Amino acid sequence: MRSVCVITGSRAEYGLLSPLLGVLEADPDLAVTLVVTGSHLSPRHGLTRREIEADGRSFETVDMALAGDSPLDIARAVGRGVTGMAETLDRLRPDLVVVLGDRYEILAAAQAALLLGIPLAHINGGERTEGAIDDSIRHAVTKMASLHFAAAEPYRTRIIQMGERPDTVFTVGMLGADNARRLDKLTRPALEADLGLSLAGPVALVTYHPTTADARQDEAGVAGMLAALDARPDLAVVITGVNADAGGNAIAERLAAFAESRANTICVDSLGWRRYLSLMAQASVVVGNSSSGVIEAPILGIPTVNIGDRQQGRLRGAGVIDAAPEAAAILAALDRALEPDFRARAAAAPSPFGDGHSAERICAAVKAFPLHTLGKKPFHDL
């Protein structure tokens, strides 16, 4: 039996990992351990470990003690994360560690696995998000990992370009497509009762995270986004919580104040992945700079107004409209996204991120790949 340790550090990434966890846990040839860290353990960010508990999953925890949102606070948290992850992984000694994405919590886990000599599998490598430090973290984790699961063929090509062996790099699609296919979505009445908000008219689902590679962009981006939303009083607005990134507290305060001042608007620390995707499926438009707007929204056929360059470099579905971080550009994009013809095109356009069977492909590779060949990692020259 092969032992696999899956690590999650944030609500969004846990939502993506959920279909994979279900497939791995159901396989009799795999022993799966889940390690929970990062903002999952932070009351300030919704204490989302409770969502994992509600799914009936047991898990280990590594507390990074997120004490603030300055760059120094984040750097210190990564240091604590490396130490905690090293101690936990040394005790568990899995055959393989699996991580997803590009956040600093994952950087801590990857460093610990590398230094302990435990093979690392990385999901969603090869992508580009040039407006966030996540871009550098993602590529660093790729070089620490020995097994790679890319969401699309251009991303696989980029991973190989970085020197990874082609036989270790698999194009599997995006796990977000698995959620869109599998998820038992909440109905509109159930969401309305849960949120205390009418969703009968047009609805904007809003998420804005710090642009960590250029924080100067956030002042204009947040102000412009809120002004554009306020110019559309017909919209009901649901704002979700801000990532545990440097500068997040100031953005969270502005979003909360906007929600308090505007009718038909609420701000929720964390919707959880099921409520979030259910609401996205009911929304008229997704607004902000989250990866969910360029990945999950096109899978569900929902238009997105993507603000600024936080997601610059990712593949785009036909329903994504990029807008500069200023009110006029965001409002113009919002008006266009809400046009019936554009919404119809977005709903009909194919997603660039696969068919919703990524979890099965990853599981098959995790079971079958000869892990003993991953001990040495020569650089693959093109």
Side-chain angles (χ1 to χ4, degrees), residues 20-321:
L20 175 61
L21 283 166
V23 172
L24 296 176
E25 291 162 348
D27 195 300
D29 296 325
L30 297 174
V32 182
T33 302
L34 180 64
V35 176
V36 172
T37 187
S39 60
H40 283 306
L41 308 179
S42 168
R44 184 163 54 90
H45 298 95
L47 202 63
T48 49
R49 65 173 291 168
R50 293 179 295 201
E51 297 168 12
I52 305 173
E53 292 166 345
D55 286 342
R57 290 193 166 102
S58 58
F59 49 82
E60 303 267 348
T61 62
V62 173
D63 192 353
M64 297 174 71
L66 296 171
D69 73 338
S70 73
L72 180 59
D73 291 326
I74 302 301
R76 285 171 171 162
V78 171
R80 290 187 288 266
V82 173
T83 300
M85 279 293 172
E87 292 170 348
T88 298
L89 292 177
D90 187 58
R91 173 168 49 83
L92 295 173
R93 278 291 160 181
D95 296 315
L96 183 70
V97 172
V98 178
V99 297
L100 182 150
D102 46 34
R103 289 186 53 77
Y104 58 82
E105 303 95 335
I106 299 311
L107 176 64
Q111 291 179 78
L114 175 72
L115 295 171
L116 290 171
I118 302 172
L120 180 70
H122 183 213
I123 303 169
N124 288 9
E127 302 178 16
R128 287 167 50 205
T129 52
E130 297 171 2
I133 62 169
D134 299 358
D135 203 48
S136 297
I137 292 174
R138 185 187 313 105
H139 298 329
V141 173
T142 289
K143 295 309 300 178
M144 294 184 218
S146 300
L147 198 58
H148 309 273
F149 300 111
E153 191 61 26
Y155 299 154
R156 178 179 186 269
T157 300
R158 190 172 291 131
I159 293 170
I160 296 170
Q161 182 183 342
M162 293 171 67
E164 299 303 296
R165 281 169 34 195
D167 67 306
T168 67
V169 190
F170 299 83
T171 300
V172 298
M174 181 65 71
L175 285 167
D178 292 42
N179 273 333
R181 181 176 68 86
R182 298 165 182 261
L183 183 64
D184 180 19
K185 299 181 184 68
L186 298 169
T187 64
R188 177 178 290 181
L191 284 168
E192 288 179 329
D194 188 50
L195 298 171
L197 184 72
S198 172
L199 305 177
V203 178
L205 175 59
V206 177
T207 307
Y208 194 103
H209 298 308
T211 308
T212 48
D214 182 9
R216 295 170 300 177
Q217 188 178 123
D218 291 332
E219 175 64 29
V222 173
M225 180 182 75
L226 298 183
L229 291 170
D230 214 25
R232 290 295 304 246
D234 56 319
L235 282 175
V237 177
V238 179
I239 303 171
T240 66
V242 179
N243 271 351
D245 285 329
N249 287 349
I251 295 173
E253 289 172 3
R254 291 196 64 179
L255 298 180
F258 177 78
E260 290 179 4
S261 68
R262 186 183 186 275
N264 299 323
T265 303
I266 61 171
C267 191
V268 183
D269 285 338
S270 175
L271 287 167
W273 64 275
R274 186 181 181 217
R275 282 199 305 168
Y276 184 79
L277 288 181
S278 297
L279 182 58
M280 181 181 285
Q282 296 282 346
S284 309
V285 62
V286 173
V287 181
N289 65 359
S290 168
S291 62
S292 63
V294 297
I295 297 173
E296 279 86 358
I299 291 168
L300 293 169
I302 305 301
T304 292
V305 174
N306 177 61
I307 300 169
D309 61 8
R310 190 171 186 269
Q311 301 303 327
Q312 184 176 335
R314 285 197 195 273
L315 294 177
R316 294 285 197 272
V320 178
I321 304 171

